Amino acid sequence: MKMNEQSTNKEAVDLSKVEKVLEKYKDVRGAVIPILQKTQAEYGFLPEPVIDYIAQSLNMSAEEIIGVTSFYAQFHLKPRGHHIIKVCCGTACHVKNAKALSSKVREKLKININETTEDKLFTFEEVSCVGACGIAPVVMIDEDVHGEISPDKLNDVLDDYKKLGV
Amino acid sequence: MKTIHLVIDDKPIIAPEGTNIFQASLDNGIYIPGLCYHPKLSQFGGCRLCMVEVTERRTGHRFACAHPVSEGMIVKVNTPKVIQYRKSVMEFLLAHHPLDCPTCDKAGECGLQDVTHELNLFPGRYKTVRMDAPMIRDNPLLELNRNRCILCGRCVKACKEIEGVGAIDFQNRGIKTVIGTAFDRPLECSFCGGCTAVCPTGAWQDRTLGFKGRPWEFNKTPTICPYCAVGCTVVLNTKMESVRRITSDDYLGINEGNLCVKGRFGHEFIHSPERIKTPLIRKNGELCPTSWDEALEYVAKRFQQIINEHGGTAIGGIGSEKCTNEDNYLFQKFCRAVLGTNNIDNMANMKSPALNGLIYESVINGMMLASMKEIEHANTLFFIGADMTEAHPVAGGMARKAIRLNNANLIIANERGVQFNSITKNDIRLKYALGSQIILINALIKVIIGEKLVDLKKVERSTNNFDKLRSLFNAFNVEEASKITGVTREAIRNAALLLTKPGNCCIVCGKDIEESPLGADTIRALMNLCALLPAYNGDAGSGKVSLFFSRSHNNSQGVNDMGVVPGFFPGYVNINETSNKEKVEKSWGVKFPDAIFKKDHENVIDLALNSKLKALYIMGENLIVNYPNGKKIKEACQKIDFIVVQDTFLTETAQLAEVVLPAATFAEKEGTFTNMGMTVQSLNKAIKPVGDAKPDWQIICSLAQKMGSHYSYVSPKDILTEIENISPMYAGINYDRLKRKEFHWASSVYNKNKSTKYTFNIVKPKSSEIKENKDFPFVLLTGASLNHQGTFSRHSKSLVSVASECFVEINKKDAQVLQINNGDKVTIESAQNKLTLKAKVTGKLSERTVFVSEDYEWVPVNILRDRVHTPVKIYKETV
Ligand code: SF4
Ligand code: SF4
Ligand code: SF4
Ligand code: FES
Ligand code: FES
C-alpha cells in the first residue's frame, strides 16, 4: 500500500490507456476483473504503475488488486512474449515424459517457467491438461496444438517460429 | 432482536438470531478451537478447525464459525469424531510449519501452539517439507515470517476492516499462497500493529520486543494510552521494572484491542536515557542535578518571596493536558489556595477559550451524552474539521465498524482533504473554502428547513427560538453559499439528506473548527444543526444525536474538567459566583483574597508579556514549542524571573527553567484520565518511577508542605474522593469502582438537568475572510499526526524510525509552479520566522495552502505562527 499518492514508477508508463478503461467503468461497482482484463488487453500485461493507478482510482490498495491478479492465471504482471509455449504437465502427458519437453524449452531458450526470452519472442508456461490426452504429450504454442511431440520435434518447431520472427 | 434457544455441550444457551455457533459458545464460556475466526473480524472459514457436531433435524458436522444458531439446535463440541477430524486438520497445518518455537517470540501465547497442545498432538504422520522463506524485515516495527503463517486471513481482515488500509493481502493461490504486499514492496502502512495482535501464529511479530522476554514472564498491567484523547486501554508488559512491550486486550476499555502506532509502539520514552532522573537547579547558568529537598526548598523560598513582594497573583500556573485529573486538580488547588493566584490555564483552553462552555452546554442540551463507543452504533457519521485518521485513529476504526456492520453513511467536511478509507457506499466529502464553515453548516440547515426534510412542527414544539431561526433563514441563499464554500449544491443537499435519515447520528467536531477564529460561532451553528435532526427530537425509532468535540491529548478534557482554567473551579463551577467561592473555601479550609478573582481574566501569557508575572509554574507542558505563537511565548518567558518546570524530559521549556522537577510517566503512576467522550478511566501503575522521578501530585504535595500547607493525600484515591465531594459533576465516581468500570460524567450531569429545552442560537452566516497578502501569499495550516504527538513520541525511537521527517505538504499545482518536487528542501517563511523542511506534494490541499503537522516536537512550526491561518511564503532551497 502506498500511503502517499505518488507511486514509484520505475519506467514511465503511458497511463492514458488505463484511464480510458477506467472511464468506461466509472459508474460500475465491483468491476475489478473486467477492468483488469480490458487493461491487460491494452498493455499486454499489467505493469506496476498501472496497478497502482487502478488501485488509487478504485479506492482500493494495490495489495487487493494483486490479490486478484495473482489468483487468476489469466493475469500477467510481467511482459509476455509474442508466442506463448504451454507445455502440458497433466497426468497423461506426465506419463509420456512431458518433463523432457520442459527441459528442452529451458535449455534451448534459456528461460524458466513463466519467463520470457530476452528478445520477447517466447514465454514459457506449464499447464495442466489441455484436454487432448489422446495425443499426449502435448505442447501448445499460442492456439496451435502439437501432439505426440518429442523433444527433438519440439526443437524443430521452435526453430520454425524463430525463423518467422516477430 | 429475536433470540434463539439451543444447547451446546448440555448447556442451555440463549443467543441473538444470526449469531454463529462459535460466537454463541464464546459468549457462554465454551471453548471451540479455531484459528481463523475472530469476534471483531468478518467470518472467513479458512482454518477448518472449528468443526462441531450439530443436530438440527438431522445430526451432522458443521463449521461452528460458519453456521448460525437455530431454535432447538443441539451442539456437541468434543465428540470422538470431531476430535479426530480436528487432529487431522492440525496435522496438515503442522506439516509445513517450521516448528521453530524456541526461536519464536510468540511461543507461549501462540494459538497454533495452544491447539496442538490441547489435542495432544504428536509431530504428525506426514513427511514434512519445512519451508524456509526468509524473514521479511523491511520496516522497523513489524516482521513477517511466512513460514509460520497458516493463511487464516485474520491480519488481512484486521488491516482492511479495522484500519481501513489494506496493506497486505493474500497473493497467488494453492500451495503458493502467501501473505504480503503488492510486488513485495516494503510494508508502508499506518503501523497500527493490528495484524500482529490478531495473528494466531508467530508469523507477524512486534520487532520492538526482540526477545526481551518470554510472554509468560511478563507482568501485564492494563492502563490508559498517554497520547491522544480517544483513551485506549493499553497493556504494559513489564519485566524487572521495565516496560518491554505493549499489547492490547479485546475485552478491556473502549477500544476492543485496537490501537494505533503510538499506543502500541510508542513506549520506549519511558526508559529513554534522556529522562530527567533527578531534580535540576540552575547554578552559574547551568542546570545541575540536586536533591529533592534542596530543589523544593528553593522553589518554596522563591515563591514565598514573590508572594511577599508582589502578591500571589504575580505567579502564573500552566497545567497539563497529559497529567492525570488528580495531578491537575491538586495543581489548581495549590495555585489557588497556597500560592494565591487564579492566573492559571492550560494549553487546550488557551487555544480555544470558548470550548469548555460550549461543551458543557452541549451536555446540558443532551447532544453530548454518548461515550466514544457510540460511534460504533452510528448510522450516519459526520466529521467536520476533524482528521480522524491522523488525530484519533482508533475512533476512526470505530467508525469503520459502524460502516461495516450498520452500513453507516459518511460525510466528511474539511478545509483540506483528509484521508479516511472505508467501504461505505455513501461517502460524501465536502471540501470547503478556508473559513467558510459556518456558511456550509447554515446551508445544510437551510436545505433541511427549506425542503422540510424533518418534521418542523415537532422541532418547533421541542425547542425555543425556532421561529426566529427560521425567519433568519428565509433570506439565505444556498446557491450563494455554494459559491462561497466551493461545495456544490448537490453535495450540500445530499449531505442534508443523509443527516436527516433516521438512526443514530454521530458528529465529530475537529480541531480545525475549534481553534478557528470563528470557532465558537461555528459550534453554535453546529448545535443548531443537531437540534434540527429527527434523532435529537426523539422521533420514535430514530436513534440519537451524539456530538463529540476533538481534544488533542490523553487528558485535554480532564485538565479543563479539573478547573485548571481561570473561569471555573473543578467541574465547571463558575468562579465568580460568591456561593461557589464560599463552598470551595470551606472545603479547602482557606480564604481567597478578593484580589485573585477578576471578572475578565487575562490570558496568562499576555500577563507575562505585560510584565505582570514574576514566576511561572509549569506542569507537563512544553509551552515554548506548543504555544501557537512562537514569538509571543518566547518574549513572555523572557520576562519571567523564575520558571519552575515539572516534566519527564528536558524540553525546550524546561531548558529555560530555574528549577526542573522530574515527573513520573503514565506507566509509573495511578490516577485517572478523561477522554474526549467524557469517559473517566483509571490508570494502573506498572513500574516504579524511573530514577528519582515522582508522580506530579506527590511533587505538588511536597511543595505545599514546604510552603506550610499540609496535604495529607496518600494516593490519587484520596484526591479523587475530594474531587467527588467538591464537584457535583463527579458525584458517584468511585475510585475502586473505576478500576472495574469507567465513569461517564456527561450522562450524570445531564440526568440532573434534564428538563432544559434547546434554544436555537442565532448565528449570522459569516465567513472569516482570509486577506490576500502579496508578500506572504500562502496560508499555513497545521494539524495532528498519526505517528507523533509531543515529547513522548519524540523520545520513542520506534516512532521516530517510522516517521523521522516532518514534511511540508504542498498542493500539486503550486508545486508545479514553484518547481518543487517530493523531497525537495523548501523554506516556509512568515513575518515571524522561517523553517526549512522537505516537501511532500499532495492533491489533498487547496491551492495556496501549505500544511505542517504540529506534532513533531522537534519541528517548532509554531515559531512561524501568530494566528490560526498564518500567511507565509514558500520557496525552494537551492543546494
Ligand atoms: S500494522 Fe496495521 S496497517 Fe500495517 S499491515 Fe498491520 S494491520 Fe495493516
Ligand atoms: S500472517 Fe498470521 S494472521 Fe496473517 S494469515 Fe498468516 S497466520 Fe493468519
Ligand atoms: S494515540 Fe489515541 S488512538 Fe492511538 S492508541 Fe493511544 S488513545 Fe488510542
Ligand atoms: S494431460 Fe496433457 S493433454 Fe491431458
Ligand atoms: S474458526 Fe471456523 S474455520 Fe477457522
Side-chain angles (χ1 to χ4, degrees):
Chain A
M1 170 90 184
K2 305 300 284 179
M3 296 291 280
N4 53 7
E5 297 145 63
Q6 298 225 328
S7 76
T8 44
N9 331 12
K10 276 170 218 107
E11 64 255 52
V13 175
D14 171 18
L15 292 174
S16 66
K17 289 189 273 185
V18 58
E19 259 165 40
K20 269 193 214 118
V21 175
L22 285 164
E23 179 61 29
K24 235 172 78 199
Y25 284 92
K26 78 173 190 303
D27 296 320
V28 193
R29 271 182 167 263
V32 180
I33 292 189
I35 288 173
L36 290 170
Q37 285 168 330
K38 295 271 159 21
T39 309
Q40 179 160 289
E42 291 291 332
Y43 293 88
F45 71 109
L46 295 166
E48 189 171 330
V50 171
I51 298 252
D52 283 336
Y53 190 85
I54 294 177
Q56 223 187 80
S57 321
L58 299 183
N59 208 358
M60 293 168 79
S61 67
E63 284 65 25
E64 290 170 273
I65 306 276
I66 295 292
V68 175
T69 58
S70 65
F71 186 83
Y72 294 103
Q74 56 170 301
F75 294 117
H76 308 284
L77 299 174
K78 285 194 211 136
R80 304 183 84 216
H82 242 262
H83 302 294
I84 315 294
I85 307 167
K86 292 181 182 144
V87 176
C88 177
C89 292
T91 316
C93 295
H94 179 78
V95 171
K96 295 250 175 133
N97 207 8
K99 273 215 172 112
L101 296 169
S102 288
S103 312
K104 185 85 222 166
V105 178
R106 243 184 243 124
E107 131 210 344
K108 186 173 171 69
L109 302 178
K110 313 255 172 323
I111 47 174
N112 279 317
I113 299 174
N114 296 332
E115 285 181 1
T116 301
T117 51
E118 233 165 70
D119 58 5
K120 300 253 159 33
L121 197 54
F122 297 106
T123 296
F124 165 37
E125 290 171 0
E126 282 184 348
V127 296
S128 35
C129 188
V130 297
C133 310
I135 50 169
V138 174
V139 172
M140 279 186 76
I141 300 184
D142 303 332
E143 299 308 311
D144 298 336
V145 180
H146 302 265
E148 292 177 345
I149 192 169
S150 65
D152 286 342
K153 241 164 85 193
L154 177 59
N155 190 44
D156 296 345
V157 173
L158 290 177
D159 279 339
D160 288 345
Y161 275 93
K162 269 195 168 173
K163 257 181 240 146
L164 278 169
V166 178
Chain B
M1 201 185 296
K2 220 177 126 193
T3 51
I4 303 283
H5 301 77
L6 70 157
V7 176
I8 305 180
D9 277 357
D10 300 328
K11 187 175 172 186
I13 278 170
I14 302 173
E17 192 178 17
T19 319
N20 60 52
I21 301 175
F22 202 112
Q23 188 65 50
S25 308
L26 212 60
D27 294 343
N28 289 279
I30 298 169
Y31 170 78
I32 301 178
L35 294 176
C36 70
Y37 182 72
H38 196 292
K40 67 178 178 188
L41 302 171
S42 62
Q43 187 269 338
F44 173 53
C47 76
R48 304 277 153 200
L49 269 171
C50 65
M51 170 85 90
V52 289
E53 187 193 284
V54 174
T55 309
E56 282 174 294
R57 252 156 302 157
R58 262 177 242 124
T59 300
H61 291 94
R62 299 280 180 270
F63 292 112
C65 72
H67 203 75
V69 293
S70 69
E71 194 59 39
M73 173 187 267
I74 297 168
V75 179
K76 292 212 169 82
V77 176
N78 288 314
T79 66
K81 208 162 170 191
V82 165
I83 291 180
Q84 197 191 358
Y85 174 84
R86 258 178 228 151
K87 282 192 168 177
S88 49
V89 171
M90 277 302 284
E91 263 183 73
F92 280 120
L93 283 180
L94 293 179
H96 272 108
H97 197 81
L99 293 177
D100 56 354
C101 307
T103 57
C104 179
D105 254 345
K106 195 76 162 229
E109 54 180 9
C110 167
L112 192 69
Q113 218 177 45
D114 293 347
V115 178
T116 308
H117 179 78
E118 266 152 30
L119 292 174
N120 273 325
L121 271 185
F122 56 98
R125 291 163 293 178
Y126 306 108
K127 190 157 174 267
T128 55
V129 186
R130 308 269 178 239
M131 293 188 285
D132 65 345
M135 180 80 90
I136 303 177
R137 285 197 181 108
D138 54 16
N139 70 82
L141 299 186
L142 299 169
E143 60 187 23
L144 174 61
N145 183 327
R146 285 175 172 167
N147 308 322
R148 296 178 186 146
C149 172
I150 58 163
L151 298 174
C152 70
R154 280 187 187 176
C155 58
V156 174
K157 282 181 288 168
C159 189
K160 177 82 194 150
E161 294 171 2
I162 297 172
E163 196 58 8
V165 172
I168 42 173
D169 209 329
F170 290 106
Q171 286 172 19
N172 310 325
R173 64 170 164 178
I175 185 81
K176 291 192 188 136
T177 312
V178 292
I179 295 295
T181 58
F183 305 101
D184 284 331
R185 293 189 289 221
L187 185 64
E188 215 185 301
C189 66
S190 62
F191 293 110
C192 66
C195 44
T196 344
V198 296
C199 181
T201 72
W204 282 110
Q205 299 273 345
D206 173 352
R207 289 189 70 185
T208 66
L209 175 58
F211 298 100
K212 287 201 286 280
R214 321 299 311 275
W216 54 86
E217 299 173 320
F218 292 137
N219 283 322
K220 295 197 171 186
T221 313
T223 190
I224 307 300
C225 172
Y227 290 100
C228 89
V230 174
C232 300
T233 296
V234 292
V235 181
L236 301 185
N237 289 220
T238 56
K239 181 177 153 187
M240 302 189 322
E241 293 298 323
S242 92
V243 178
R244 302 286 162 107
R245 70 163 171 182
I246 283 180
T247 51
S248 49
D249 187 322
D250 294 351
Y251 298 98
L252 292 177
I254 59 165
N255 52 312
E256 239 190 347
N258 303 326
L259 296 175
C260 77
V261 61
K262 296 189 291 291
R264 198 181 297 274
F265 299 106
H267 55 82
E268 285 143 323
F269 74 91
I270 300 167
H271 300 290
S272 159
E274 283 161 53
R275 277 284 295 274
I276 327 171
K277 301 202 181 70
T278 64
L280 304 172
I281 198 161
R282 201 171 287 280
K283 287 180 185 155
N284 305 323
E286 292 272 320
L287 281 170
C288 309
T290 178
S291 68
W292 271 108
D293 221 42
E294 190 189 349
L296 292 172
E297 198 98 7
Y298 182 69
V299 174
K301 195 181 88 199
R302 289 292 303 268
F303 276 165
Q304 199 56 59
Q305 245 169 24
I306 292 168
I307 295 171
N308 295 345
E309 285 166 28
H310 308 275
T313 50
I315 306 175
I318 304 289
S320 171
E321 292 175 271
K322 288 150 246 169
C323 291
T324 63
N325 288 324
E326 293 71 14
D327 297 335
N328 279 305
Y329 172 83
L330 220 54
F331 183 81
Q332 59 85 35
K333 179 174 175 181
F334 172 79
C335 288
R336 286 173 170 148
V338 179
L339 298 180
T341 178
N342 191 44
N343 295 326
I344 57 173
D345 217 329
N346 70 80
M347 196 56 104
N349 190 51
M350 289 192 274
K351 283 183 183 169
S352 20
L355 193 56
N356 281 328
L358 289 164
I359 288 182
Y360 199 73
E361 250 176 69
S362 316
V363 170
I364 302 278
N365 287 330
M367 290 171 180
M368 249 202 98
L369 297 186
S371 73
M372 301 226 34
K373 255 207 130 25
E374 188 62 26
I375 296 178
E376 292 179 356
H377 304 294
N379 299 94
T380 301
L381 295 152
F382 179 28
F383 304 152
I384 177 158
D387 187 347
M388 296 300 267
T389 306
E390 300 284 339
H392 303 111
V394 169
M398 294 177 186
R400 269 183 290 274
K401 185 169 173 187
I403 289 165
R404 188 163 60 86
L405 300 182
N406 326 331
N407 256 322
N409 305 307
L410 176 67
I411 308 161
I412 297 185
N414 218 317
E415 57 194 19
R416 58 193 164 93
V418 294
Q419 184 156 3
F420 185 83
N421 301 341
S422 78
I423 52 162
T424 180
K425 289 194 202 77
N426 292 318
D427 184 337
I428 300 183
R429 308 277 168 134
L430 314 170
K431 191 159 139 194
Y432 55 79
L434 272 193
S436 67
Q437 63 269 27
I438 299 186
I439 299 184
L440 178 68
I441 295 172
N442 280 339
L444 292 168
I445 294 179
K446 169 75 185 188
V447 174
I448 293 174
I449 298 180
E451 297 193 23
K452 299 205 173 57
L453 297 180
V454 299
D455 182 349
L456 296 179
K457 291 236 171 63
K458 192 157 205 172
V459 175
E460 196 167 353
R461 273 200 307 275
S462 44
T463 57
N464 298 324
N465 236 357
F466 181 60
D467 269 352
K468 230 168 144 188
L469 182 87
R470 196 175 186 168
S471 57
L472 186 81
F473 272 88
N474 279 339
F476 190 94
N477 184 333
V478 180
E479 187 64 51
E480 188 80 10
S482 157
K483 258 189 222 133
I484 301 173
T485 55
V487 179
T488 63
R489 273 190 79 153
E490 199 195 351
I492 295 175
R493 186 162 181 273
N494 287 341
L497 285 173
L498 288 189
L499 280 170
T500 47
K501 280 197 174 175
N504 294 325
C505 180
C506 282
I507 302 179
V508 181
C509 170
K511 180 195 95 78
D512 292 357
I513 302 274
E514 294 163 2
E515 290 177 15
S516 97
L518 293 178
D521 279 348
T522 314
I523 292 170
R524 292 214 164 83
L526 194 59
M527 282 158 70
N528 286 348
L529 176 65
C530 289
L532 276 178
L533 302 183
Y536 182 68
N537 290 304
D539 280 4
S542 61
K544 54 183 176 183
V545 173
S546 311
L547 186 55
F548 296 95
F549 290 98
S550 293
R551 291 293 201 173
S552 301
H553 290 275
N554 55 328
N555 206 24
S556 300
Q557 184 59 43
V559 64
N560 288 293
D561 294 353
M562 290 302 122
V564 190
V565 287
F568 300 111
F569 284 125
Y572 305 104
V573 172
N574 190 340
I575 212 157
N576 291 318
E577 260 169 48
T578 325
S579 61
N580 294 339
K581 206 174 83 177
E582 281 163 2
K583 196 180 158 215
V584 174
E585 281 178 336
K586 200 167 142 226
S587 155
W588 289 353
V590 291
K591 188 106 192 78
F592 297 125
D594 279 341
I596 83 167
F597 300 129
K598 278 184 249 121
K599 265 258 174 304
D600 27 44
H601 353 265
E602 235 177 303
N603 172 306
V604 178
I605 305 305
D606 287 334
L607 285 173
L609 211 56
N610 300 333
S611 306
K612 290 190 188 137
L613 292 188
K614 297 287 164 215
L616 206 48
Y617 180 19
I618 304 169
M619 175 173 82
E621 182 57 77
N622 190 0
L623 273 184
I624 291 287
V625 172
N626 295 331
Y627 193 79
N629 183 335
K631 192 159 163 246
K632 184 167 151 188
I633 187 69
K634 208 160 161 202
E635 284 172 15
C637 286
Q638 273 161 0
K639 295 205 170 152
I640 306 274
D641 300 339
F642 183 58
I643 298 179
V644 181
V645 172
Q646 184 168 311
D647 211 329
T648 44
F649 287 89
L650 202 59
T651 61
E652 284 77 357
T653 311
Q655 284 166 29
L656 299 178
E658 244 344 77
V659 180
V660 182
L661 306 171
T665 66
F666 80 113
E668 300 146 41
K669 65 182 178 189
E670 301 267 319
T672 59
F673 289 156
T674 307
N675 77 358
M676 63 185 246
M678 312 305 154
T679 300
V680 186
Q681 304 183 93
S682 80
L683 298 176
N684 290 304
K685 179 175 166 183
I687 53 170
K688 283 201 241 111
V690 168
D692 272 350
K694 284 185 187 178
D696 292 276
W697 65 270
Q698 267 181 19
I699 304 177
I700 300 169
C701 283
S702 323
L703 193 54
Q705 186 85 22
K706 292 266 184 229
M707 296 190 68
S709 291
H710 297 281
Y711 284 173
S712 57
Y713 311 102
V714 182
S715 75
K717 181 177 171 175
D718 301 337
I719 306 174
L720 193 72
T721 312
E722 182 172 319
I723 297 171
E724 187 185 354
N725 290 332
I726 203 166
S727 152
M729 200 171 105
Y730 285 97
I733 197 170
N734 171 304
Y735 197 80
D736 295 320
R737 207 179 56 118
L738 267 186
K739 292 272 173 209
R740 281 171 278 122
K741 200 178 170 345
E742 66 280 359
F743 177 83
H744 189 239
W745 72 248
S747 0
S748 112
V749 166
Y750 177 70
N751 289 338
K752 283 175 208 142
N753 297 280
K754 232 175 209 153
S755 55
T756 338
K757 238 188 189 185
Y758 180 73
T759 305
F760 277 99
N761 296 296
I762 304 304
V763 183
K764 293 249 159 56
K766 330 176 232 209
S767 188
S768 69
E769 222 182 310
I770 313 285
K771 285 200 201 83
E772 286 267 338
N773 186 326
K774 265 218 208 86
D775 299 329
F776 300 103
F778 283 78
V779 171
L780 171 66
L781 305 177
T782 60
S785 144
L786 170 64
N787 295 305
H788 282 289
Q789 193 165 21
T791 315
F792 299 153
S793 74
R794 176 190 196 171
H795 293 281
S796 295
K797 69 175 194 299
S798 300
L799 295 180
V800 176
S801 63
V802 278
S804 55
E805 191 81 48
C806 176
F807 292 95
V808 47
E809 293 180 25
I810 301 171
N811 171 281
K812 270 183 195 157
K813 283 197 192 136
D814 295 325
Q816 221 164 34
V817 175
L818 297 167
Q819 296 188 329
I820 293 171
N821 291 314
N822 269 332
D824 284 351
K825 283 205 163 165
V826 169
T827 297
I828 321 152
E829 189 177 327
S830 71
Q832 288 61 247
N833 218 324
K834 57 185 178 181
L835 197 63
T836 304
L837 296 172
K838 279 193 186 160
K840 188 182 240 164
V841 179
T842 164
K844 290 195 287 188
L845 289 170
S846 306
E847 279 168 70
R848 302 268 141 169
T849 57
V850 290
F851 175 86
V852 180
S853 165
E854 20 175 21
D855 283 334
Y856 288 70
E857 206 187 54
W858 66 93
V859 178
V861 63
N862 286 322
I863 59 171
L864 302 174
R865 300 175 72 200
D866 64 348
R867 69 196 87 166
V868 175
H869 295 141
T870 309
V872 293
K873 65 179 170 193
I874 55 173
Y875 47 86
K876 192 165 149 179
E877 286 293 315
T878 39
V879 199

